[in-house]
Amino acid sequence: MKAIVDRSECIGCGLCTEACPEVFRMGDDDIAEVYAEIDDSLKSSAVEAQDSCPVSAITLED
């Protein structure tokens, strides 16, 4: 599974990094970025990160 952050939509709230820090981190510009692929053990936290994004900037793809 792969995560994508629409950096033009991200408001930098950090909820995704709290929900799934193994996949998401804040970049130097305080906008979320993906730095790892999602393995089976991280699927539920990645979905939580997607669901918690207030601007729906996260997309998950199989």
Side-chain angles (χ1 to χ4, degrees):
M1 182 176 264
K2 177 181 172 184
I4 300 167
V5 174
D6 182 343
R7 294 177 55 81
S8 67
E9 293 293 323
C10 178
I11 59 172
C13 70
L15 289 174
C16 60
T17 62
E18 292 176 23
C20 191
E22 302 87 354
V23 175
F24 302 96
R25 64 181 172 201
M26 300 307 288
D28 292 337
D29 56 358
D30 292 325
I31 299 297
E33 61 187 19
V34 177
Y35 72 98
E37 289 199 17
I38 303 163
D39 65 28
D40 289 341
S41 68
L42 299 174
K43 281 185 181 181
S44 64
S45 60
V47 170
E48 180 182 342
Q50 180 185 37
D51 292 345
S52 68
C53 181
V55 294
S56 301
I58 299 170
T59 303
L60 301 177
E61 297 178 346
D62 283 325

